[in-house]
Amino acid sequence: MPRLTIDGKEIEVPAGANLIEAARRLGIEIPHYCYHPGLSIAGQCRLCMVELEKNPRPQIACNMVAMDGMVVHTQTPKVLETRKSIMEFHLINHPLDCPVCDQAGECWLQIYYMKHGLYDSRFVEEKVHKPKAVPLGPHVILDAERCILCSRCTRFCDEITKTGELGIFNRGDHSEVGLFPGKVLDNRYSGNVVDICPVGALTDRDFRFQVRVWYLDTQKSVCPGCSRGCNIEIHSNVRRPHHAQGRRVARLKPRYNPHVNDWWICDAGRYGFGSIDQGRITFPQLREGGLLREVTWREALALLIDRLRAYGPDEIGLLASPEMTNEELFLIRRLAETLGVKNLDFQVPPREPGDEDDFLLRADKNPNTRGAEAIGLWPADRGLDAWEMLEALRREQLKCLWVFHHDVTRCGWPEGAVLEALQAAQCLIYTGSNVNGMTERAHLVLPAATYAEKEGTFTNFEGRVQRIRKALPPLGDSRADWEILGECLEALNAGPKPNRPEEVFRALAHAVPAFAGLTYRDLGEYGLMLREVAHGASR
Amino acid sequence: MSLAGQMIAFTPAQLDEVRRLQALYPDPRAALLPVLQLAQEAFDFISPDVEQYVAGLFDLSPAHVHEVVTFYSLFFTKPVGRHVVSVCRTLSCHLLGAPDVVAYLKERLGIEAGATTKDGKVTFFTVECLCACEMAPMMQVNDRYEGHLTREKIDRILERLE
Ligand code: SF4
Ligand code: SF4
């Protein structure tokens, strides 16, 4: 491990680390545009110049591997002057149109000009003009005048997606980023180029001009789009709701996790948040004479308990969902145990097989299948599985079915048979977030919060337990599943309702060996793996 | 892969030349420029279809080949005439009468700089310094430099072109 000195401080870094990474470990930020730890080194922007002792001229830090005994200076007059000149150079042909640029507030030209530029503009000539507001694909739009030609976007398409749509064409001050003639930037990960573009050249067609970024609130979470469980940030707009017609989730951004998704997320996950604000069920409803009527939670819960008590354990089925958190699934298991219900399952086949690739996307479009397996949401001895429950409904052996989140009217099972079964149910309870085929049929509809509106954990396909956090209050009267289940268990005299999911997680870690020893605090930023357990031990 | 119905593909002999050029360098990609020159000779100009074809020979993205083609001004990305005339307009030539040369060529050919005559015979460009100030004003006609230009000399040069 090489040991070097940067700005008078000694540090040991892993072999192969460059000077930007070495300095970062000391809390010293070397400014840069083109360097990105997930991409190859381009040495294009020249902003990361530092001075090395015994070296006559400043060198770029991104392409300089830390060596034993190196003495590096990042704050000498020569370095500061070089940075300033390079900033001036980058901004020569830039239109300086921050007031109408959507990147303003999170633009590295603005940030670095204030930190390292602060020169007075000397450029009086006509600037070079380039294409503006060019859609590159379904999600990304280009303003070539704002581009600083860092080549991050082209390297992303060459190295990460290997789709090669983008290039930097022409020469000198006429160089511009663009698509190969006839190509469209429509790969499954195209949105990432917006994140890595350090300036306002590439912006997000869905997000731009909705709300200024400084009005956004951010919260760490995990994408529920598939079983990869990519780490994300939810950016919500609650301070300026009138700027986006009440749309609360402004955008999702990837959050770095070296064990799961590095710096990236897929477009399906990135743009799949519409259901958080649209088509929601916002209050409990009861079907009377074929019509749904709004009821209070008090009425709804009383009815729920009444129904669960009215039927024998063999007449009740519980269909949980791998969209629910570990905590919630654990509470369902407890509910099944409390009621003595053995008809318990969580899996329903999807209508179409999910999209999968060898990068991030997983065919299983549920965030917590592994968690449901580990907690053991299976039929208890000789209980019915999901399909058998439907068949038993049709035969009127099962009387009451409580379905969480699944829209079984739109799944891989024959629709006719499913509808017939649901029709035959004496009592169909549905807990979900969005209006769908189930809300049209259920006798009691309980509105559930989405993943963005609650705390909890998901377990990804590899067995990594990761936290989701509450970015928004539940819409309308909706409540988190753990709260609904907690109330229900309390009413059934199965212990006091939990105040926080963390309490449930503690109980879960106590009861399910796969989770033993895990705590919210230890899960930290990157999550932790389930304890290796012998197959079936957690059932 | 076709242009006006014509397949874009090198002949076996041209492909042998491509392989020979690629074998000259530790990284075969270094042969991209000479191969593009070969392509320009073979297909007259470098269309996106040609770029795609060449990219396939190198296992590069077509965008990367397009970067190279657009970087260099001597690759034609649009069809040109059978002869290409490039008039230098940089300082020495300018002082010694390049504007007259350009005006006369426009008059003789009946086209603006950058265009091709209707019969497809001549394309004429104005270009920056061709490194032949000693023969200013000068122009390049296909592969030949023609200097000390006068109206008479330009007439003679144009008459020689087929
Ligand atoms: S568009 Fe953005 S990421 Fe791409 S080269 Fe320009 S500045 Fe860099
Ligand atoms: S790969 Fe899966 S978890 Fe990751 S962003 Fe896409 S849908 Fe979400």
Side-chain angles (χ1 to χ4, degrees), chain A residues 30-33 44-50 60 82-84 86-87 90 108 112 116:
Chain A
I30 299 177
H32 57 270
Y33 288 120
Q44 199 112 331
C45 75
R46 318 308 289 177
L47 191 60
C48 65
M49 294 276 193
V50 294
I60 50 173
T82 307
R83 278 182 196 158
K84 188 185 259 193
I86 290 168
M87 284 309 299
H90 275 306
W108 289 93
Y112 284 162
H116 309 291

Side-chain angles (χ1 to χ4, degrees), chain B residues 56-126:
Chain B
L57 297 175
F58 282 86
D59 201 17
L60 287 171
S61 74
H64 186 79
V65 177
H66 192 60
E67 289 180 333
V68 173
V69 168
T70 56
F71 185 90
Y72 293 99
S73 53
L74 291 178
F75 288 125
F76 303 127
T77 53
K78 292 195 185 84
V80 288
R82 291 194 297 284
H83 305 284
V84 177
V85 174
S86 309
V87 184
C88 172
R89 59 172 193 187
T90 310
L91 187 65
S92 310
C93 286
H94 185 88
L95 292 174
L96 287 168
D100 285 344
V101 173
V102 171
Y104 188 58
L105 274 172
K106 282 187 187 171
E107 182 190 321
R108 275 289 317 254
L109 298 172
I111 52 173
E112 289 298 311
T116 303
T117 54
K118 277 215 188 72
D119 57 4
K121 189 161 148 192
V122 181
T123 302
F124 113 80
F125 295 111
T126 58

